[in-house]
Amino acid sequence: MTSRYGRRFIEASDDQASSSSDIVMSMGSLGDVDARHLSALVAVVEEGTFARAAATLGFTQSAVSQQIAQLERAAGVSVFDRQPGPRPVRLTPAGRSVLAFARRSLAAVAEMDGELDRLRRGVTGRLVIGTFQSFSSEILPAIVGTMRRDAPEVDLVLVETDDVTVLRRDVLAGDTDLAFTIETDGDPMLRTELLGLDPFVVIAPVAEATGSTATPADLDGRVFVGQALHDTCQLMIDDRLAGIGVRPEYGFRFHDNGAVQSMVRSGMGWSVMPSLAVNHDDPGIVVLELDPPIAPRSVHIIRARDRTLPGAAERFVEIAREVSSRSLADPDVADDASVGAPGGVA
């Protein structure tokens, strides 16, 4: 049973009712009372009599009397001056102090109830999200924008790294709640959801490219612009190119995807990049499909299996799933849905 004075009550039996003469004053502690006792006090004061308080709370009058008696025993003082007949209650000086405490405490309980309800519904809280460069540029803004509109009270913290090992480590350590990554290795400590596939493409200066595809013969002898030497995404690209007989010679290397594309635009070489890492609207480059294609990289969202996340995490994943489906290839319909060995991101 719930009332406007507080949480659910447990009704006491009538034969345990106490009168003022039954109160035994002792050195007690308000730590021995709970919201039921405090709610009874507030109800009696606001309704004016024990009888009206009992009717409002849905209890018998003796049950309310028992709650007040237990409160007084715990406090070691009387909170009411007992008066004969059906007169309005009158607080003692100590009772006024206990009443103020009761109202503060019940307000705090109500506030926490509201906060927990919002957390359960996923409309408040804090989420820390791991991400990588190309996902941050092309997909994440739409996810964050939708989340802001749906749940503006959720505090989103974004942590970016192109090191897939760090993305997984931070999720397992609890430093991030969720992370976007690629080609997970089946770690049993992680829950993994595939969001889609990101194909690799060739980008070339607009003045040098013809047609819409690039074959191994087209790439032979070209100067390439790539990521840093030990970048795990670059290692993935090189490994997959080797599978179709292409071993690029790199003239320039950069950590930044935009810098790679700028060098290609300037005629400094060609590059093989994940499609997400490319600005397809750049008029200075041509985006070519590899023929034969190499296996695309798979993009996932991960979380730790043994950790309970805020309610907002589920809504965030729903949005990520929806937004990613518009930018990533569907693995069920992709021409080549095979996935290579785990690698890095870009």
Side-chain angles (χ1 to χ4, degrees), residues 133 162 223-234 237 250-266 268-273 345-346:
Q133 186 182 166
D162 282 345
V223 174
F224 274 72
V225 183
Q227 299 283 332
L229 179 62
H230 298 295
D231 181 272
T232 47
C233 185
Q234 187 61 68
I237 291 170
Y250 290 95
F252 307 94
R253 293 182 182 274
F254 300 92
H255 289 286
D256 181 70
N257 294 329
V260 172
Q261 185 159 330
S262 293
M263 292 296 285
V264 172
R265 186 191 314 118
S266 299
M268 297 297 101
W270 290 29
S271 185
V272 176
M273 302 179 70
V345 294

PDB file of all heavy atoms in Angstrom, residues 133 162 223-234 237 250-266 268-273 345-346:
ATOM      1  N   GLN A 133      38.921   6.651 -34.944  1.00  0.00           N
ATOM      2  CA  GLN A 133      38.932   7.861 -35.757  1.00  0.00           C
ATOM      3  C   GLN A 133      37.856   7.910 -36.834  1.00  0.00           C
ATOM      4  O   GLN A 133      37.054   8.856 -36.894  1.00  0.00           O
ATOM      5  CB  GLN A 133      40.317   8.027 -36.389  1.00  0.00           C
ATOM      6  CG  GLN A 133      40.511   9.315 -37.138  1.00  0.00           C
ATOM      7  CD  GLN A 133      41.888   9.415 -37.779  1.00  0.00           C
ATOM      8  OE1 GLN A 133      42.126  10.267 -38.621  1.00  0.00           O
ATOM      9  NE2 GLN A 133      42.816   8.565 -37.389  1.00  0.00           N
ATOM     10  N   ASP A 162      42.933   4.776 -31.826  1.00  0.00           N
ATOM     11  CA  ASP A 162      42.966   3.850 -32.956  1.00  0.00           C
ATOM     12  C   ASP A 162      43.640   2.531 -32.592  1.00  0.00           C
ATOM     13  O   ASP A 162      43.924   1.718 -33.461  1.00  0.00           O
ATOM     14  CB  ASP A 162      43.693   4.501 -34.138  1.00  0.00           C
ATOM     15  CG  ASP A 162      42.811   5.502 -34.861  1.00  0.00           C
ATOM     16  OD1 ASP A 162      41.590   5.492 -34.634  1.00  0.00           O
ATOM     17  OD2 ASP A 162      43.347   6.311 -35.640  1.00  0.00           O
ATOM     18  N   VAL A 223      53.386   4.799 -56.061  1.00  0.00           N
ATOM     19  CA  VAL A 223      53.782   5.271 -54.731  1.00  0.00           C
ATOM     20  C   VAL A 223      52.514   5.338 -53.891  1.00  0.00           C
ATOM     21  O   VAL A 223      51.488   5.879 -54.331  1.00  0.00           O
ATOM     22  CB  VAL A 223      54.454   6.655 -54.799  1.00  0.00           C
ATOM     23  CG1 VAL A 223      54.721   7.171 -53.392  1.00  0.00           C
ATOM     24  CG2 VAL A 223      55.737   6.582 -55.607  1.00  0.00           C
ATOM     25  N   PHE A 224      52.580   4.791 -52.689  1.00  0.00           N
ATOM     26  CA  PHE A 224      51.404   4.765 -51.823  1.00  0.00           C
ATOM     27  C   PHE A 224      51.558   5.746 -50.659  1.00  0.00           C
ATOM     28  O   PHE A 224      52.672   6.000 -50.168  1.00  0.00           O
ATOM     29  CB  PHE A 224      51.183   3.358 -51.255  1.00  0.00           C
ATOM     30  CG  PHE A 224      50.388   2.472 -52.172  1.00  0.00           C
ATOM     31  CD1 PHE A 224      50.962   1.975 -53.342  1.00  0.00           C
ATOM     32  CD2 PHE A 224      49.081   2.129 -51.876  1.00  0.00           C
ATOM     33  CE1 PHE A 224      50.248   1.158 -54.190  1.00  0.00           C
ATOM     34  CE2 PHE A 224      48.355   1.310 -52.727  1.00  0.00           C
ATOM     35  CZ  PHE A 224      48.922   0.822 -53.881  1.00  0.00           C
ATOM     36  N   VAL A 225      50.428   6.273 -50.227  1.00  0.00           N
ATOM     37  CA  VAL A 225      50.344   7.058 -48.992  1.00  0.00           C
ATOM     38  C   VAL A 225      49.582   6.200 -47.992  1.00  0.00           C
ATOM     39  O   VAL A 225      48.485   5.698 -48.301  1.00  0.00           O
ATOM     40  CB  VAL A 225      49.601   8.394 -49.215  1.00  0.00           C
ATOM     41  CG1 VAL A 225      49.605   9.214 -47.930  1.00  0.00           C
ATOM     42  CG2 VAL A 225      50.216   9.169 -50.371  1.00  0.00           C
ATOM     43  N   GLY A 226      50.159   6.005 -46.822  1.00  0.00           N
ATOM     44  CA  GLY A 226      49.517   5.117 -45.856  1.00  0.00           C
ATOM     45  C   GLY A 226      49.531   5.645 -44.445  1.00  0.00           C
ATOM     46  O   GLY A 226      49.957   6.773 -44.179  1.00  0.00           O
ATOM     47  N   GLN A 227      49.039   4.807 -43.563  1.00  0.00           N
ATOM     48  CA  GLN A 227      49.086   5.108 -42.139  1.00  0.00           C
ATOM     49  C   GLN A 227      50.494   4.817 -41.614  1.00  0.00           C
ATOM     50  O   GLN A 227      51.371   4.352 -42.344  1.00  0.00           O
ATOM     51  CB  GLN A 227      48.052   4.254 -41.399  1.00  0.00           C
ATOM     52  CG  GLN A 227      46.620   4.495 -41.820  1.00  0.00           C
ATOM     53  CD  GLN A 227      46.036   5.773 -41.243  1.00  0.00           C
ATOM     54  OE1 GLN A 227      46.433   6.223 -40.178  1.00  0.00           O
ATOM     55  NE2 GLN A 227      45.073   6.362 -41.951  1.00  0.00           N
ATOM     56  N   ALA A 228      50.697   5.101 -40.337  1.00  0.00           N
ATOM     57  CA  ALA A 228      52.001   4.889 -39.712  1.00  0.00           C
ATOM     58  C   ALA A 228      52.448   3.436 -39.856  1.00  0.00           C
ATOM     59  O   ALA A 228      51.618   2.523 -39.963  1.00  0.00           O
ATOM     60  CB  ALA A 228      51.940   5.285 -38.243  1.00  0.00           C
ATOM     61  N   LEU A 229      53.736   3.223 -39.837  1.00  0.00           N
ATOM     62  CA  LEU A 229      54.335   1.924 -40.142  1.00  0.00           C
ATOM     63  C   LEU A 229      53.736   0.792 -39.323  1.00  0.00           C
ATOM     64  O   LEU A 229      53.442  -0.283 -39.852  1.00  0.00           O
ATOM     65  CB  LEU A 229      55.847   1.994 -39.928  1.00  0.00           C
ATOM     66  CG  LEU A 229      56.632   0.700 -40.183  1.00  0.00           C
ATOM     67  CD1 LEU A 229      56.474   0.272 -41.636  1.00  0.00           C
ATOM     68  CD2 LEU A 229      58.103   0.889 -39.821  1.00  0.00           C
ATOM     69  N   HIS A 230      53.566   1.019 -38.020  1.00  0.00           N
ATOM     70  CA  HIS A 230      53.094  -0.061 -37.155  1.00  0.00           C
ATOM     71  C   HIS A 230      51.617   0.098 -36.786  1.00  0.00           C
ATOM     72  O   HIS A 230      51.142  -0.573 -35.858  1.00  0.00           O
ATOM     73  CB  HIS A 230      53.945  -0.126 -35.882  1.00  0.00           C
ATOM     74  CG  HIS A 230      55.382  -0.425 -36.163  1.00  0.00           C
ATOM     75  ND1 HIS A 230      55.799  -1.626 -36.708  1.00  0.00           N
ATOM     76  CD2 HIS A 230      56.507   0.330 -36.007  1.00  0.00           C
ATOM     77  CE1 HIS A 230      57.118  -1.605 -36.859  1.00  0.00           C
ATOM     78  NE2 HIS A 230      57.567  -0.431 -36.450  1.00  0.00           N
ATOM     79  N   ASP A 231      50.910   0.954 -37.490  1.00  0.00           N
ATOM     80  CA  ASP A 231      49.475   1.104 -37.258  1.00  0.00           C
ATOM     81  C   ASP A 231      48.774  -0.206 -37.589  1.00  0.00           C
ATOM     82  O   ASP A 231      48.994  -0.799 -38.655  1.00  0.00           O
ATOM     83  CB  ASP A 231      48.931   2.238 -38.139  1.00  0.00           C
ATOM     84  CG  ASP A 231      47.453   2.460 -37.941  1.00  0.00           C
ATOM     85  OD1 ASP A 231      46.659   1.801 -38.636  1.00  0.00           O
ATOM     86  OD2 ASP A 231      47.094   3.302 -37.102  1.00  0.00           O
ATOM     87  N   THR A 232      47.921  -0.677 -36.686  1.00  0.00           N
ATOM     88  CA  THR A 232      47.348  -2.004 -36.873  1.00  0.00           C
ATOM     89  C   THR A 232      46.385  -2.062 -38.058  1.00  0.00           C
ATOM     90  O   THR A 232      46.260  -3.107 -38.709  1.00  0.00           O
ATOM     91  CB  THR A 232      46.627  -2.452 -35.591  1.00  0.00           C
ATOM     92  OG1 THR A 232      45.796  -1.403 -35.093  1.00  0.00           O
ATOM     93  CG2 THR A 232      47.637  -2.832 -34.527  1.00  0.00           C
ATOM     94  N   CYS A 233      45.711  -0.963 -38.351  1.00  0.00           N
ATOM     95  CA  CYS A 233      44.859  -0.964 -39.533  1.00  0.00           C
ATOM     96  C   CYS A 233      45.708  -1.053 -40.808  1.00  0.00           C
ATOM     97  O   CYS A 233      45.353  -1.754 -41.746  1.00  0.00           O
ATOM     98  CB  CYS A 233      43.993   0.295 -39.568  1.00  0.00           C
ATOM     99  SG  CYS A 233      42.803   0.322 -40.919  1.00  0.00           S
ATOM    100  N   GLN A 234      46.839  -0.353 -40.808  1.00  0.00           N
ATOM    101  CA  GLN A 234      47.714  -0.421 -41.971  1.00  0.00           C
ATOM    102  C   GLN A 234      48.264  -1.825 -42.155  1.00  0.00           C
ATOM    103  O   GLN A 234      48.374  -2.336 -43.284  1.00  0.00           O
ATOM    104  CB  GLN A 234      48.867   0.572 -41.822  1.00  0.00           C
ATOM    105  CG  GLN A 234      49.736   0.698 -43.057  1.00  0.00           C
ATOM    106  CD  GLN A 234      48.938   1.193 -44.250  1.00  0.00           C
ATOM    107  OE1 GLN A 234      48.495   2.331 -44.275  1.00  0.00           O
ATOM    108  NE2 GLN A 234      48.750   0.336 -45.255  1.00  0.00           N
ATOM    109  N   ILE A 237      45.601  -3.850 -43.813  1.00  0.00           N
ATOM    110  CA  ILE A 237      45.497  -3.560 -45.248  1.00  0.00           C
ATOM    111  C   ILE A 237      46.616  -4.256 -46.014  1.00  0.00           C
ATOM    112  O   ILE A 237      46.386  -4.900 -47.046  1.00  0.00           O
ATOM    113  CB  ILE A 237      45.541  -2.036 -45.484  1.00  0.00           C
ATOM    114  CG1 ILE A 237      44.260  -1.386 -44.935  1.00  0.00           C
ATOM    115  CG2 ILE A 237      45.717  -1.717 -46.961  1.00  0.00           C
ATOM    116  CD1 ILE A 237      44.307   0.132 -44.904  1.00  0.00           C
ATOM    117  N   TYR A 250      55.541   2.509 -49.844  1.00  0.00           N
ATOM    118  CA  TYR A 250      54.995   3.726 -49.235  1.00  0.00           C
ATOM    119  C   TYR A 250      56.004   4.867 -49.295  1.00  0.00           C
ATOM    120  O   TYR A 250      57.158   4.724 -48.863  1.00  0.00           O
ATOM    121  CB  TYR A 250      54.582   3.465 -47.790  1.00  0.00           C
ATOM    122  CG  TYR A 250      53.365   2.571 -47.700  1.00  0.00           C
ATOM    123  CD1 TYR A 250      53.503   1.195 -47.533  1.00  0.00           C
ATOM    124  CD2 TYR A 250      52.087   3.104 -47.835  1.00  0.00           C
ATOM    125  CE1 TYR A 250      52.391   0.364 -47.478  1.00  0.00           C
ATOM    126  CE2 TYR A 250      50.963   2.276 -47.787  1.00  0.00           C
ATOM    127  CZ  TYR A 250      51.122   0.920 -47.611  1.00  0.00           C
ATOM    128  OH  TYR A 250      50.026   0.105 -47.578  1.00  0.00           O
ATOM    129  N   GLY A 251      55.537   6.001 -49.843  1.00  0.00           N
ATOM    130  CA  GLY A 251      56.379   7.196 -49.855  1.00  0.00           C
ATOM    131  C   GLY A 251      56.088   8.118 -48.690  1.00  0.00           C
ATOM    132  O   GLY A 251      56.950   8.891 -48.260  1.00  0.00           O
ATOM    133  N   PHE A 252      54.862   8.041 -48.152  1.00  0.00           N
ATOM    134  CA  PHE A 252      54.436   8.924 -47.060  1.00  0.00           C
ATOM    135  C   PHE A 252      53.530   8.155 -46.116  1.00  0.00           C
ATOM    136  O   PHE A 252      52.729   7.323 -46.544  1.00  0.00           O
ATOM    137  CB  PHE A 252      53.684  10.151 -47.604  1.00  0.00           C
ATOM    138  CG  PHE A 252      54.439  10.908 -48.661  1.00  0.00           C
ATOM    139  CD1 PHE A 252      54.214  10.633 -50.016  1.00  0.00           C
ATOM    140  CD2 PHE A 252      55.373  11.872 -48.330  1.00  0.00           C
ATOM    141  CE1 PHE A 252      54.898  11.312 -50.994  1.00  0.00           C
ATOM    142  CE2 PHE A 252      56.065  12.563 -49.308  1.00  0.00           C
ATOM    143  CZ  PHE A 252      55.838  12.284 -50.647  1.00  0.00           C
ATOM    144  N   ARG A 253      53.654   8.476 -44.831  1.00  0.00           N
ATOM    145  CA  ARG A 253      52.811   7.834 -43.829  1.00  0.00           C
ATOM    146  C   ARG A 253      52.318   8.883 -42.826  1.00  0.00           C
ATOM    147  O   ARG A 253      53.071   9.775 -42.434  1.00  0.00           O
ATOM    148  CB  ARG A 253      53.581   6.743 -43.067  1.00  0.00           C
ATOM    149  CG  ARG A 253      53.966   5.536 -43.923  1.00  0.00           C
ATOM    150  CD  ARG A 253      54.689   4.496 -43.068  1.00  0.00           C
ATOM    151  NE  ARG A 253      55.118   3.336 -43.838  1.00  0.00           N
ATOM    152  CZ  ARG A 253      54.355   2.277 -44.084  1.00  0.00           C
ATOM    153  NH1 ARG A 253      53.113   2.245 -43.626  1.00  0.00           N
ATOM    154  NH2 ARG A 253      54.819   1.259 -44.778  1.00  0.00           N
ATOM    155  N   PHE A 254      51.060   8.728 -42.399  1.00  0.00           N
ATOM    156  CA  PHE A 254      50.464   9.666 -41.453  1.00  0.00           C
ATOM    157  C   PHE A 254      49.536   8.914 -40.495  1.00  0.00           C
ATOM    158  O   PHE A 254      49.001   7.860 -40.834  1.00  0.00           O
ATOM    159  CB  PHE A 254      49.643  10.742 -42.183  1.00  0.00           C
ATOM    160  CG  PHE A 254      50.439  11.557 -43.148  1.00  0.00           C
ATOM    161  CD1 PHE A 254      50.523  11.168 -44.488  1.00  0.00           C
ATOM    162  CD2 PHE A 254      51.108  12.695 -42.749  1.00  0.00           C
ATOM    163  CE1 PHE A 254      51.250  11.906 -45.393  1.00  0.00           C
ATOM    164  CE2 PHE A 254      51.843  13.446 -43.652  1.00  0.00           C
ATOM    165  CZ  PHE A 254      51.923  13.055 -44.978  1.00  0.00           C
ATOM    166  N   HIS A 255      49.331   9.496 -39.324  1.00  0.00           N
ATOM    167  CA  HIS A 255      48.349   8.942 -38.387  1.00  0.00           C
ATOM    168  C   HIS A 255      46.937   9.402 -38.724  1.00  0.00           C
ATOM    169  O   HIS A 255      45.965   8.731 -38.384  1.00  0.00           O
ATOM    170  CB  HIS A 255      48.681   9.368 -36.945  1.00  0.00           C
ATOM    171  CG  HIS A 255      49.890   8.703 -36.379  1.00  0.00           C
ATOM    172  ND1 HIS A 255      49.888   7.382 -35.977  1.00  0.00           N
ATOM    173  CD2 HIS A 255      51.137   9.169 -36.147  1.00  0.00           C
ATOM    174  CE1 HIS A 255      51.090   7.057 -35.520  1.00  0.00           C
ATOM    175  NE2 HIS A 255      51.863   8.121 -35.611  1.00  0.00           N
ATOM    176  N   ASP A 256      46.806  10.543 -39.363  1.00  0.00           N
ATOM    177  CA  ASP A 256      45.512  11.166 -39.591  1.00  0.00           C
ATOM    178  C   ASP A 256      44.946  10.790 -40.957  1.00  0.00           C
ATOM    179  O   ASP A 256      45.625  10.922 -41.989  1.00  0.00           O
ATOM    180  CB  ASP A 256      45.644  12.687 -39.484  1.00  0.00           C
ATOM    181  CG  ASP A 256      44.328  13.399 -39.690  1.00  0.00           C
ATOM    182  OD1 ASP A 256      43.463  13.298 -38.810  1.00  0.00           O
ATOM    183  OD2 ASP A 256      44.170  14.060 -40.736  1.00  0.00           O
ATOM    184  N   ASN A 257      43.694  10.334 -40.988  1.00  0.00           N
ATOM    185  CA  ASN A 257      43.066   9.948 -42.254  1.00  0.00           C
ATOM    186  C   ASN A 257      42.975  11.126 -43.218  1.00  0.00           C
ATOM    187  O   ASN A 257      43.163  10.971 -44.430  1.00  0.00           O
ATOM    188  CB  ASN A 257      41.662   9.397 -41.999  1.00  0.00           C
ATOM    189  CG  ASN A 257      41.676   8.099 -41.218  1.00  0.00           C
ATOM    190  OD1 ASN A 257      42.610   7.308 -41.314  1.00  0.00           O
ATOM    191  ND2 ASN A 257      40.634   7.875 -40.431  1.00  0.00           N
ATOM    192  N   GLY A 258      42.661  12.295 -42.684  1.00  0.00           N
ATOM    193  CA  GLY A 258      42.555  13.476 -43.528  1.00  0.00           C
ATOM    194  C   GLY A 258      43.864  13.835 -44.187  1.00  0.00           C
ATOM    195  O   GLY A 258      43.890  14.284 -45.347  1.00  0.00           O
ATOM    196  N   ALA A 259      44.974  13.639 -43.464  1.00  0.00           N
ATOM    197  CA  ALA A 259      46.282  13.937 -44.037  1.00  0.00           C
ATOM    198  C   ALA A 259      46.608  12.984 -45.180  1.00  0.00           C
ATOM    199  O   ALA A 259      47.181  13.383 -46.209  1.00  0.00           O
ATOM    200  CB  ALA A 259      47.362  13.861 -42.956  1.00  0.00           C
ATOM    201  N   VAL A 260      46.251  11.710 -45.031  1.00  0.00           N
ATOM    202  CA  VAL A 260      46.467  10.733 -46.105  1.00  0.00           C
ATOM    203  C   VAL A 260      45.706  11.175 -47.358  1.00  0.00           C
ATOM    204  O   VAL A 260      46.257  11.210 -48.471  1.00  0.00           O
ATOM    205  CB  VAL A 260      46.012   9.327 -45.663  1.00  0.00           C
ATOM    206  CG1 VAL A 260      46.054   8.359 -46.844  1.00  0.00           C
ATOM    207  CG2 VAL A 260      46.886   8.806 -44.517  1.00  0.00           C
ATOM    208  N   GLN A 261      44.441  11.532 -47.186  1.00  0.00           N
ATOM    209  CA  GLN A 261      43.634  11.926 -48.331  1.00  0.00           C
ATOM    210  C   GLN A 261      44.149  13.221 -48.960  1.00  0.00           C
ATOM    211  O   GLN A 261      44.127  13.375 -50.195  1.00  0.00           O
ATOM    212  CB  GLN A 261      42.172  12.087 -47.907  1.00  0.00           C
ATOM    213  CG  GLN A 261      41.235  12.392 -49.070  1.00  0.00           C
ATOM    214  CD  GLN A 261      39.792  12.055 -48.759  1.00  0.00           C
ATOM    215  OE1 GLN A 261      39.502  11.142 -47.980  1.00  0.00           O
ATOM    216  NE2 GLN A 261      38.865  12.788 -49.368  1.00  0.00           N
ATOM    217  N   SER A 262      44.625  14.141 -48.151  1.00  0.00           N
ATOM    218  CA  SER A 262      45.170  15.395 -48.688  1.00  0.00           C
ATOM    219  C   SER A 262      46.398  15.142 -49.557  1.00  0.00           C
ATOM    220  O   SER A 262      46.565  15.772 -50.617  1.00  0.00           O
ATOM    221  CB  SER A 262      45.529  16.349 -47.548  1.00  0.00           C
ATOM    222  OG  SER A 262      44.369  16.787 -46.868  1.00  0.00           O
ATOM    223  N   MET A 263      47.235  14.205 -49.132  1.00  0.00           N
ATOM    224  CA  MET A 263      48.415  13.885 -49.935  1.00  0.00           C
ATOM    225  C   MET A 263      48.020  13.246 -51.260  1.00  0.00           C
ATOM    226  O   MET A 263      48.616  13.534 -52.316  1.00  0.00           O
ATOM    227  CB  MET A 263      49.344  12.966 -49.148  1.00  0.00           C
ATOM    228  CG  MET A 263      50.004  13.630 -47.950  1.00  0.00           C
ATOM    229  SD  MET A 263      51.125  14.974 -48.410  1.00  0.00           S
ATOM    230  CE  MET A 263      52.528  14.030 -49.017  1.00  0.00           C
ATOM    231  N   VAL A 264      47.005  12.394 -51.222  1.00  0.00           N
ATOM    232  CA  VAL A 264      46.517  11.794 -52.476  1.00  0.00           C
ATOM    233  C   VAL A 264      45.952  12.884 -53.377  1.00  0.00           C
ATOM    234  O   VAL A 264      46.226  12.927 -54.592  1.00  0.00           O
ATOM    235  CB  VAL A 264      45.456  10.709 -52.180  1.00  0.00           C
ATOM    236  CG1 VAL A 264      44.816  10.225 -53.476  1.00  0.00           C
ATOM    237  CG2 VAL A 264      46.092   9.541 -51.430  1.00  0.00           C
ATOM    238  N   ARG A 265      45.177  13.769 -52.825  1.00  0.00           N
ATOM    239  CA  ARG A 265      44.594  14.867 -53.603  1.00  0.00           C
ATOM    240  C   ARG A 265      45.677  15.714 -54.268  1.00  0.00           C
ATOM    241  O   ARG A 265      45.502  16.225 -55.383  1.00  0.00           O
ATOM    242  CB  ARG A 265      43.731  15.748 -52.705  1.00  0.00           C
ATOM    243  CG  ARG A 265      42.966  16.842 -53.454  1.00  0.00           C
ATOM    244  CD  ARG A 265      42.334  17.867 -52.509  1.00  0.00           C
ATOM    245  NE  ARG A 265      41.655  17.222 -51.391  1.00  0.00           N
ATOM    246  CZ  ARG A 265      42.006  17.391 -50.119  1.00  0.00           C
ATOM    247  NH1 ARG A 265      43.035  18.162 -49.808  1.00  0.00           N
ATOM    248  NH2 ARG A 265      41.338  16.786 -49.164  1.00  0.00           N
ATOM    249  N   SER A 266      46.805  15.837 -53.587  1.00  0.00           N
ATOM    250  CA  SER A 266      47.916  16.648 -54.111  1.00  0.00           C
ATOM    251  C   SER A 266      48.777  15.905 -55.119  1.00  0.00           C
ATOM    252  O   SER A 266      49.779  16.450 -55.610  1.00  0.00           O
ATOM    253  CB  SER A 266      48.789  17.133 -52.945  1.00  0.00           C
ATOM    254  OG  SER A 266      48.048  17.943 -52.051  1.00  0.00           O
ATOM    255  N   MET A 268      50.497  13.036 -54.562  1.00  0.00           N
ATOM    256  CA  MET A 268      51.691  12.440 -53.975  1.00  0.00           C
ATOM    257  C   MET A 268      51.646  10.916 -53.950  1.00  0.00           C
ATOM    258  O   MET A 268      52.627  10.273 -53.565  1.00  0.00           O
ATOM    259  CB  MET A 268      51.884  12.962 -52.544  1.00  0.00           C
ATOM    260  CG  MET A 268      52.124  14.471 -52.449  1.00  0.00           C
ATOM    261  SD  MET A 268      53.648  15.016 -53.271  1.00  0.00           S
ATOM    262  CE  MET A 268      52.990  15.678 -54.812  1.00  0.00           C
ATOM    263  N   GLY A 269      50.539  10.325 -54.366  1.00  0.00           N
ATOM    264  CA  GLY A 269      50.444   8.868 -54.378  1.00  0.00           C
ATOM    265  C   GLY A 269      49.001   8.421 -54.294  1.00  0.00           C
ATOM    266  O   GLY A 269      48.076   9.230 -54.307  1.00  0.00           O
ATOM    267  N   TRP A 270      48.808   7.094 -54.289  1.00  0.00           N
ATOM    268  CA  TRP A 270      47.500   6.470 -54.118  1.00  0.00           C
ATOM    269  C   TRP A 270      47.423   5.874 -52.713  1.00  0.00           C
ATOM    270  O   TRP A 270      48.438   5.777 -52.015  1.00  0.00           O
ATOM    271  CB  TRP A 270      47.284   5.375 -55.155  1.00  0.00           C
ATOM    272  CG  TRP A 270      47.102   5.861 -56.574  1.00  0.00           C
ATOM    273  CD1 TRP A 270      47.613   6.998 -57.135  1.00  0.00           C
ATOM    274  CD2 TRP A 270      46.376   5.185 -57.594  1.00  0.00           C
ATOM    275  NE1 TRP A 270      47.235   7.096 -58.448  1.00  0.00           N
ATOM    276  CE2 TRP A 270      46.468   5.991 -58.766  1.00  0.00           C
ATOM    277  CE3 TRP A 270      45.645   4.003 -57.656  1.00  0.00           C
ATOM    278  CZ2 TRP A 270      45.868   5.635 -59.972  1.00  0.00           C
ATOM    279  CZ3 TRP A 270      45.043   3.634 -58.849  1.00  0.00           C
ATOM    280  CH2 TRP A 270      45.152   4.457 -59.993  1.00  0.00           C
ATOM    281  N   SER A 271      46.237   5.475 -52.310  1.00  0.00           N
ATOM    282  CA  SER A 271      46.102   4.867 -50.985  1.00  0.00           C
ATOM    283  C   SER A 271      44.964   3.863 -50.990  1.00  0.00           C
ATOM    284  O   SER A 271      44.012   3.981 -51.775  1.00  0.00           O
ATOM    285  CB  SER A 271      45.823   5.938 -49.920  1.00  0.00           C
ATOM    286  OG  SER A 271      45.809   5.366 -48.614  1.00  0.00           O
ATOM    287  N   VAL A 272      45.088   2.857 -50.126  1.00  0.00           N
ATOM    288  CA  VAL A 272      43.994   1.935 -49.839  1.00  0.00           C
ATOM    289  C   VAL A 272      43.539   2.222 -48.408  1.00  0.00           C
ATOM    290  O   VAL A 272      44.343   2.178 -47.471  1.00  0.00           O
ATOM    291  CB  VAL A 272      44.422   0.465 -49.987  1.00  0.00           C
ATOM    292  CG1 VAL A 272      43.281  -0.477 -49.572  1.00  0.00           C
ATOM    293  CG2 VAL A 272      44.858   0.179 -51.414  1.00  0.00           C
ATOM    294  N   MET A 273      42.254   2.528 -48.253  1.00  0.00           N
ATOM    295  CA  MET A 273      41.725   2.939 -46.956  1.00  0.00           C
ATOM    296  C   MET A 273      40.362   2.295 -46.715  1.00  0.00           C
ATOM    297  O   MET A 273      39.663   1.940 -47.670  1.00  0.00           O
ATOM    298  CB  MET A 273      41.579   4.470 -46.887  1.00  0.00           C
ATOM    299  CG  MET A 273      42.858   5.241 -47.115  1.00  0.00           C
ATOM    300  SD  MET A 273      42.578   7.050 -47.056  1.00  0.00           S
ATOM    301  CE  MET A 273      42.240   7.273 -45.306  1.00  0.00           C
ATOM    302  N   VAL A 345      42.297  -0.172 -36.214  1.00  0.00           N
ATOM    303  CA  VAL A 345      41.236   0.690 -36.712  1.00  0.00           C
ATOM    304  C   VAL A 345      41.844   1.969 -37.242  1.00  0.00           C
ATOM    305  O   VAL A 345      42.995   2.287 -36.962  1.00  0.00           O
ATOM    306  CB  VAL A 345      40.221   0.993 -35.597  1.00  0.00           C
ATOM    307  CG1 VAL A 345      39.505  -0.258 -35.192  1.00  0.00           C
ATOM    308  CG2 VAL A 345      40.892   1.614 -34.398  1.00  0.00           C
ATOM    309  N   ALA A 346      41.056   2.691 -38.006  1.00  0.00           N
ATOM    310  CA  ALA A 346      41.515   3.974 -38.518  1.00  0.00           C
ATOM    311  C   ALA A 346      40.321   4.865 -38.761  1.00  0.00           C
ATOM    312  O   ALA A 346      39.201   4.398 -38.790  1.00  0.00           O
ATOM    313  CB  ALA A 346      42.284   3.795 -39.816  1.00  0.00           C
TER     314      ALA A 346
END
